[in-house]
Every structure is written in C-alpha cells, then in structure tokens.
C-alpha cells in the first residue's frame, strides 16, 4: 500500500531577497535618455502604515504601441519600436519602503471580445513573510475615459478602484501599495 504524500508548504521569500534578486539597472524599463520617460515612485506599507523595507516590486508592461515582444501576445510577438524598451523593471524598497521605476506610458491593449484595456502596468510585490507574490495593476489617473472602459478595472468594487490609480507628480506618477488595512491595494489571483 502506498502512502499518499501531502502538499509541501510554500516558503516565504525570506531575508535573501536583496542578495539573490538585486539588479543594479532594474528600475530602468527604458534608458535614462528616452524621450517622454518618467518616474513611477511609491511606498509599500503594511497594515499599520509602517514601511516595508525589505520588499521588491517587479513591473511588466506593453510598449507605447500596446504591444508585447512575447509569444503570448495574441497578435504575435513584435520587437518594440521604442529603442531600449525592455517592458520589465525591478526595484527593491529602501529604508523608508520606497521603490521607483523609470518607464514610459504603455499603450492600450485590445481585448479578445473587441474591447480595450486602459494603459496599465502589472506589478508583482515580493517580500519577507509573503508566501506568494502579490499581483496588482497600476492605472493612470490621467486616463479617465480609458479607465472607465477597462474591463478589469470595472470588475473591481467601485469604492476600491482608487487603490489602483497612480496620481500625477512633477516628474511622473505616485503609486503607493498598501499590503493590508483600510486602504489595502486590490490584488489579483493569477
């Protein structure tokens, strides 16, 4: 008779996040000299509002034309027309829980049913104590028409949609991530 083995528990990221995943030019989705590039800056806080100083944010986004150089793009992979665009960024948090990404605004994405997704970035949050990455989206508050038509954003309870909006600043946008609490950021099961 064979024994049935149970599922092994997931392990948290642990204290080695910064050792194993540090990437010196990680925050730069585009080169520093890219016309129209801007900073997305934010802070990751826990349920009590304290900064999370040992976390990391990864971003994934379409290029300004709304395309991915990836086989999962249903229109076919296509290299970006923007020189140096890599579509991916990584930023660890500092001693105040702050992260930063240098990027450009992505284009809108077509939906299979003929609709359109608003310009957005997909963000993954990793940190000590998290069994799995947390996945959210960053939408741009200065895109109200596109945001109101976005099927994913419309699926979120109306009173929580603002947790997914990045607000304009002097040099880009601000997007704080609240892991828990009254203003908890919406996270998606992927």
């Amino acid at each position: 008779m064979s024994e049935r083995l149970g599922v092994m528990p997931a392990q948290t990221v642990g204290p080695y996040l910064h050792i194993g995943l540090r990437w010196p030019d990680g925050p730069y989705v585009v080169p520093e000299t890219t016309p129209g590039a801007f900073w997305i800056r934010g802070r990751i806080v826990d349920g009590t509002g304290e900064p999370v100083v040992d976390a990391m944010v990864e971003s994934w986004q379409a290029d300004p034309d709304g395309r991915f150089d990836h086989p999962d793009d249903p229109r076919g992979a296509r290299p970006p027309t923007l020189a140096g665009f890599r579509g991916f960024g990584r930023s660890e948090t500092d001693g105040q829980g702050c992260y930063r990404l240098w990027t450009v605004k992505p284009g809108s994405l077509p939906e299979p049913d003929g609709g359109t997704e608003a310009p957005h970035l997909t963000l993954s949050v990793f940190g000590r104590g998290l069994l799995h990455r947390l996945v959210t989206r960053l939408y741009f508050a200065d895109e109200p028409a596109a945001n109101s038509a976005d099927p994913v954003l419309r699926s979120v309870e109306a009173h929580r949609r603002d947790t997914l909006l990045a607000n304009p600043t002097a040099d880009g946008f601000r997007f704080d991530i609240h892991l828990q609490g009254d203003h908890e950021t919406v996270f998606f099961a992927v």
Side-chain angles (χ1 to χ4, degrees):
M1 179 164 123
S2 67
E3 283 188 49
R4 188 173 171 116
L5 300 176
V7 176
M8 294 289 296
Q11 294 201 10
T12 64
V13 173
Y16 303 106
L17 176 71
H18 291 256
I19 296 169
L21 298 176
R22 183 167 277 151
W23 186 18
D25 70 339
Y28 295 92
V29 178
V30 294
E32 290 182 73
T33 58
T34 302
F38 53 83
W39 284 109
I40 293 175
R41 298 180 201 268
R43 192 167 182 236
I44 301 178
V45 296
D46 65 18
T48 65
E50 291 297 313
V52 179
V53 301
D54 56 355
M56 184 181 65
V57 175
E58 285 185 349
S59 67
W60 189 55
Q61 69 178 81
D63 69 14
D65 297 326
R67 299 292 300 253
F68 292 98
D69 187 15
H70 193 276
D72 286 348
D73 189 318
R75 299 158 293 173
R78 187 193 78 190
T81 56
L82 182 62
F85 177 84
R86 64 181 178 206
F88 175 82
R90 179 182 289 165
S91 177
E92 57 193 78
T93 55
D94 65 15
Q96 285 73 49
C98 297
Y99 72 93
R100 64 191 176 94
L101 297 163
W102 180 251
T103 191
V104 292
K105 193 177 278 190
S108 297
L109 299 171
E111 277 283 293
D113 65 359
T116 304
E117 289 187 17
H120 68 275
L121 277 67
T122 299
L123 301 177
S124 293
V125 179
F126 300 87
R128 185 172 13 155
L130 297 176
L131 293 176
H132 304 281
R133 70 185 173 127
L134 299 175
V135 178
T136 191
R137 281 188 170 193
L138 176 158
Y139 289 90
F140 299 90
D142 64 350
E143 297 275 354
N147 291 342
S148 67
D150 184 274
V152 175
L153 194 53
R154 281 195 334 245
S155 74
V156 174
E157 297 170 325
H159 72 280
R160 297 198 61 213
R161 289 180 191 153
D162 68 324
T163 70
L164 299 176
L165 297 179
N167 293 302
T169 63
D171 64 350
F173 292 85
R174 172 133 188 136
F175 185 72
D176 292 333
I177 299 172
H178 298 255
L179 299 181
Q180 296 176 313
D182 293 337
H183 202 63
E184 179 181 333
T185 300
V186 172
F187 297 106
F188 298 95
V190 292

